[in-house]
Amino acid sequence: MDILELESFLPYRLYRLADAVSHEFSKIYKHRHGLTRPEWRTLAGLGQRGTMTATALGEQSAMHKTKVSRAVAELERRRWLTRTPDENDRRIEHLTLTKAGLAAYREMVPLAKAFERELLARLGAEEQAAIVSGVAALEAKLTLG
């Protein structure tokens, strides 16, 4: 019988690595603002793109619509985002950060960039280049980039 060693199976390794990195970074936004991962991803998506629909947010962040919905509800409760019904289709809402939401996002941007720099600094220059180009190549082949 052929056995699959998960520890050497690349998809499993990538998942574990992504989860570990996400968990490490989550400590920063959880400590700073008490955000969950979906709330952070929603804040970051809206901060980067401006106005988005919940569907677009889900696609951009690879989150299930229920997670997006909960994150949107929580950020709205905090008064960090507003919902505006679409003029042509009332089922669609356009989500936008408020001044308070934008302020939280702007506070997090340098922290996120510092986290990325510190993460990459754990590697040598060749390893940094290899992981950046390797991830980009896989994203392109899987049409994620």
Side-chain angles (χ1 to χ4, degrees):
M1 180 171 104
D2 199 16
I3 294 176
L4 176 67
E5 285 186 41
L6 283 178
E7 295 76 20
S8 60
F9 183 55
L10 185 61
Y12 180 75
R13 293 174 64 200
L14 289 171
Y15 169 77
R16 293 213 31 201
L17 178 61
D19 192 58
V21 170
S22 183
H23 179 73
E24 280 299 305
F25 182 55
S26 75
K27 293 175 184 175
I28 296 170
Y29 54 76
K30 185 171 191 139
H31 170 75
R32 203 68 159 207
H33 293 291
L35 296 171
T36 63
R37 285 187 208 187
E39 290 162 7
W40 159 248
R41 290 176 184 158
T42 299
L43 181 73
L46 291 172
Q48 176 189 356
R49 301 260 165 88
T51 300
M52 297 176 76
T53 64
T55 302
L57 263 170
E59 290 169 0
Q60 183 223 16
S61 61
M63 285 193 295
H64 189 272
K65 62 184 177 180
T66 56
K67 287 193 180 223
V68 173
S69 179
R70 286 189 200 118
V72 165
E74 174 55 24
L75 294 181
E76 185 179 39
R77 188 194 68 74
R78 290 176 179 231
R79 293 187 163 80
W80 282 12
L81 70 73
T82 57
R83 304 176 196 232
T84 307
D86 187 270
E87 291 178 13
N88 301 318
D89 186 344
R90 291 297 201 190
R91 296 170 298 175
I92 298 172
E93 294 178 322
H94 298 279
L95 309 171
T96 310
L97 293 180
T98 62
K99 284 183 182 177
L102 203 49
Y105 171 74
R106 286 186 177 140
E107 178 191 336
M108 287 302 303
V109 168
L111 299 175
K113 289 182 176 184
F115 176 83
E116 181 183 42
R117 276 193 309 276
E118 291 163 16
L119 180 68
L120 286 171
R122 298 177 191 182
L123 305 173
E126 283 184 30
E127 292 170 316
Q128 287 181 28
I131 196 157
V132 168
S133 66
V135 167
L138 277 174
E139 287 173 333
K141 298 294 182 193
L142 296 171
T143 64
L144 296 176

